[in-house]
Amino acid sequence: MTEPAPHAAVEAADIDAAARVVAPFAVRTPLLSFPVLNERVGTKVFLKPEMLQRTGSFKFRGAFNKLSSIPQAARSGGVVAFSSGNHAQGVAAAAQILNMQATIVMPKDSPLTKRERTKAYGAEVVLYDRDKEDREAIANGIAAKRGATLVRPYDDPFVIAGQGTAGREIAEDMMALGLSPDIVIAPASGGGLIAGVATAVKAKFPQAQVIVAEPEGYDDHGLSLRAGHREAHHAAGRTICDALMAQMPGEMTFSINSKLLAKGVTASDAEVGAAVAFAYRELKLVVEPGGAVGLAALLAGRIDVKGKNVVIVLSGGNVDADLFAKLVA
């Protein structure tokens, strides 16, 4: 795949190529449907459980596709990434498989489980203060000093194409069932997952509505879609959706999402917590808050789904044990 200009779209063919790269290593997660959920919302819902993916989130897909694209001659310098946790683990695991050194810049307040798992894949973890320090500047400095490749969490065509393999699987599995997805919902931080998913799904089902789900107050994608240009959210403090706290959509991802997404929806922390608990108690699934925001919006009645086939991406399951215990208690 040729590296496109910053605003060039990732095409379905790029996602097909990424699928061939990641297939031997990534898990092809199934589409799951549960009578208890269908009855609750009054329509047919399919869940894409990316918490069953390698490293516990969709991020492995894009990370492995990106690292695989690095020429052999450039691999000795290793890779550097910045992440609150899921991208960190995806990059670390991909680097371990490809025998490359990974350094991950992570916030001090990221869940301990995500930091420890990142280290377990052999990566070096560099901590920073997200309120006072610039993670991208720190990562760029390390990359320049070591001659390493910077692996961005979303604004990279190989990353977007890799994430899009989840959407490609959704399209293939719905076709196998003889069904068309009317609504596809996925969460967004920088927007790489939903950009890839939207590209893949709409290549097969142009009529499908792709909807971005975000935490209440952190809805920079929703704001940007309504404004017609990238807008930052102005939320203060924290959300339990620690994976979805990017302040503004990515430049490359929004150039794709502004053309393909129907709209944005939100869910409050309380609604997300209730969705995490519902998934655990009723569906026997462990989903992290950021991964459950689409399900939360559905359960809260934020989307008109009557009579429609709905697909929701549950993007990850790397939840802090103490937080999870509180949410499901």
Side-chain angles (χ1 to χ4, degrees), residues 93-135:
Q96 186 179 60
I97 292 168
L98 295 170
N99 198 29
M100 298 170 69
Q101 177 57 43
T103 302
I104 315 295
V105 179
M106 301 182 72
K108 292 177 181 177
D109 62 351
S110 59
L112 179 61
T113 180
K114 292 184 178 182
R115 300 199 303 270
E116 293 304 315
R117 287 180 181 274
T118 301
K119 291 178 183 177
Y121 290 115
E124 175 190 358
V125 172
V126 175
L127 299 178
Y128 77 100
D129 185 333
R130 76 165 92 210
D131 294 320
K132 298 178 181 178
E133 296 179 287
D134 183 338
R135 66 180 186 172

Side-chain angles (χ1 to χ4, degrees), residues 32-40 45-49 51-52 274-287 292 295 298-299 312 314:
L32 304 177
S33 188
F34 299 88
V36 65
L37 176 58
N38 296 339
E39 291 163 10
R40 167 92 176 252
V45 180
F46 297 90
L47 302 178
K48 180 71 166 169
M51 60 277 190
L52 304 181
V276 169
F278 177 86
Y280 174 69
R281 292 175 188 150
E282 303 295 337
L283 314 181
K284 311 310 175 190
L285 300 176
V286 175
V287 191
L295 178 61
L298 174 73
L299 293 175
I312 301 177
L314 303 178

Side-chain angles (χ1 to χ4, degrees), residues 215-287:
E216 193 173 81
Y218 293 81
D219 55 337
D220 45 292
H221 288 268
L223 292 170
S224 299
L225 289 172
R226 291 191 291 274
H229 56 82
R230 290 195 302 154
E231 288 266 346
H233 69 71
H234 299 288
R238 296 284 184 269
T239 168
I240 62 171
C241 302
D242 64 278
L244 306 182
M245 291 174 61
Q247 193 170 24
M248 184 183 291
E251 185 176 0
M252 185 180 296
T253 56
F254 189 68
S255 72
I256 298 169
N257 290 327
S258 61
K259 298 178 181 69
L260 299 182
L261 302 190
K263 64 177 181 178
V265 294
T266 63
S268 68
D269 274 5
E271 289 164 344
V272 170
V276 169
F278 177 86
Y280 174 69
R281 292 175 188 150
E282 303 295 337
L283 314 181
K284 311 310 175 190
L285 300 176
V286 175
V287 191

Side-chain angles (χ1 to χ4, degrees), residues 25-96:
F25 301 95
V27 175
R28 185 187 175 100
T29 56
L31 281 184
L32 304 177
S33 188
F34 299 88
V36 65
L37 176 58
N38 296 339
E39 291 163 10
R40 167 92 176 252
V41 299
T43 198
K44 192 80 169 177
V45 180
F46 297 90
L47 302 178
K48 180 71 166 169
E50 282 294 293
M51 60 277 190
L52 304 181
Q53 185 54 255
R54 199 163 185 158
T55 73
S57 91
F58 73 95
K59 287 286 192 177
F60 176 78
R61 297 173 181 270
F64 191 84
N65 193 48
K66 172 62 178 178
L67 268 63
S68 296
S69 77
I70 299 172
Q72 286 289 341
R75 293 188 182 186
S76 60
V79 293
V80 181
F82 47 88
S83 167
S84 64
N86 286 334
H87 180 59
Q89 292 176 76
V91 171
Q96 186 179 60

